[in-house]
């Protein structure tokens, strides 16, 4: 079976800084991969490349059959199949929690509003935020905002989820809720989570270590 994500010898420089020095990895359908490494190690550049936010200087990168090194990438198809959770939450400040979780499915995927809200409520319940549906982001803690971002990504029903340090700014209780929600995803959803926290390895089918732009498979 072809891997859902395949990266081979990816290299990326920012001026004199070598962010990726020939990174390779494969991710199968339904597999949960955790990439562990310190800040500045290249792990965020890797998943930003997978999401099309960065373009590697050389190498091969295929995401669900999309050649990410091609001159023209099908960004609409990519956006419909890949969801990314950023470290900074990126919630809409003027929308409620439920509106944040349902906006993209209704606008991008054209899901009927009632259907998107039903699924959104279910995902918010999964991350322990049923009582916060009508709250606004500035009324939530940082950990709660990150959980909203997780629920929003899940409500896009992506084939691939990319998470950039999803637990770096949350306490152990919020981290446990987030990791439990991710670990329970068993519907062939592939997950790549990058973090400096070794506790995130609890959800992994496979673990990589990255440092200085160089990656090795650990387990």
């Amino acid at each position: 079976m072809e891997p859902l994500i395949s990266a081979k010898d990816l290299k990326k420089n920012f001026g004199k800084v070598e962010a990726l020095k020939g990174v390779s990895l494969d991710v199968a359908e339904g597999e949960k991969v955790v990439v562990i490494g310190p800040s500045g190690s290249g792990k965020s550049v890797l998943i930003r490349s997978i999401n099309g936010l960065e373009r590697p200087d050389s190498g091969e990168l295929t995401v669900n059959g999309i050649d990410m090194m091609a001159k023209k990438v099908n960004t609409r198809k990519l956006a419909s199949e890949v969801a990314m959770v950023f470290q900074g939450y990126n919630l809409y400040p003027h929308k409620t929690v439920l509106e944040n979780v349902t906006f993209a499915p209704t606008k991008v995927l054209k899901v009927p509003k009632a259907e998107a809200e039903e699924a959104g409520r279910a995902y918010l319940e999964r991350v322990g935020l049923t009582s916060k549906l009508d709250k606004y982001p500035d009324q939530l803690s940082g950990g709660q905002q990150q959980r909203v971002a997780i629920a929003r990504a899940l409500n896009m029903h992506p084939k691939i989820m990319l998470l950039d340090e999803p637990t770096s700014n949350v306490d152990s209780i919020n981290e446990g809720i987030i990791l439990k929600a991710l670990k329970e995803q068993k519907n062939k959803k592939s997950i790549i989570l990058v973090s400096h926290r070794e506790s995130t390895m609890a959800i992994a089918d496979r673990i990589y270590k990255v440092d200085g732009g160089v990656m090795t498979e650990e387990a």
Side-chain angles (χ1 to χ4, degrees):
M1 184 184 299
E2 289 291 320
L4 196 62
I5 302 169
S6 179
K8 296 180 181 178
D9 198 29
L10 292 184
K11 297 179 181 178
K12 177 66 178 180
N13 295 343
F14 294 98
K16 295 182 179 180
V17 178
E18 293 181 281
L20 299 177
K21 302 177 183 178
V23 165
S24 300
L25 88 162
D26 287 336
V27 180
E29 187 174 14
E31 188 174 27
K32 299 178 182 67
V33 171
V34 173
V35 180
I36 294 290
S39 297
S41 60
K43 58 188 187 298
S44 293
V45 176
L46 172 63
I47 60 169
R48 287 175 64 85
S49 298
I50 293 170
N51 199 36
L53 298 175
E54 300 285 356
R55 182 181 174 86
D57 297 322
S58 62
E60 300 176 17
L61 178 58
T62 304
V63 179
N64 195 27
I66 302 172
D67 181 1
M68 301 300 293
M69 302 299 289
K71 289 184 178 180
K72 185 173 283 190
V73 174
N74 189 338
T75 54
R76 179 171 293 185
K77 183 174 187 290
L78 188 71
S80 70
E81 298 178 348
V82 181
M84 186 159 175
V85 178
F86 296 90
Q87 190 174 349
Y89 322 135
N90 289 7
L91 301 179
Y92 295 109
H94 60 289
K95 294 184 180 295
T96 66
V97 165
L98 184 58
E99 288 170 343
N100 264 282
V101 171
T102 57
F103 180 75
T106 56
K107 296 299 181 182
V108 178
L109 303 181
K110 307 303 180 184
V111 175
K113 183 178 179 180
E115 183 180 332
E117 287 186 348
E118 181 180 2
R121 288 190 177 92
Y123 285 123
L124 287 165
E125 180 180 6
R126 189 171 295 178
V127 296
L129 291 175
T130 301
S131 64
K132 306 293 184 181
L133 300 183
D134 297 323
K135 300 294 184 182
Y136 290 87
D138 64 359
Q139 296 175 298
L140 306 177
S141 69
Q144 290 171 334
Q145 290 185 57
Q146 187 66 296
R147 283 190 268 157
V148 175
I150 299 286
R152 177 177 61 182
L154 290 171
N155 204 25
M156 289 295 287
H157 309 291
K159 284 189 174 183
I160 298 166
M161 279 186 69
L162 307 172
L163 300 106
D164 189 1
E165 296 279 8
T167 64
S168 64
N169 297 318
V170 305
D171 58 27
S172 58
I173 293 174
N174 278 291
E175 180 180 53
I177 294 170
I178 289 169
L179 294 180
K180 183 175 184 291
L182 295 174
K183 193 171 184 178
E184 289 175 345
Q185 298 305 305
K186 302 181 185 297
N187 56 346
K188 295 187 177 181
K189 187 185 275 80
S190 298
I191 293 175
I192 301 180
L193 184 156
V194 303
S195 179
H196 68 275
R197 283 189 173 185
E198 294 189 357
S199 51
T200 58
M201 295 190 296
I203 73 163
D205 298 315
R206 199 144 45 98
I207 299 163
Y208 287 88
K209 183 177 180 181
V210 63
D211 196 2
V214 177
M215 179 180 287
T216 57
E217 185 174 358
E218 292 290 292

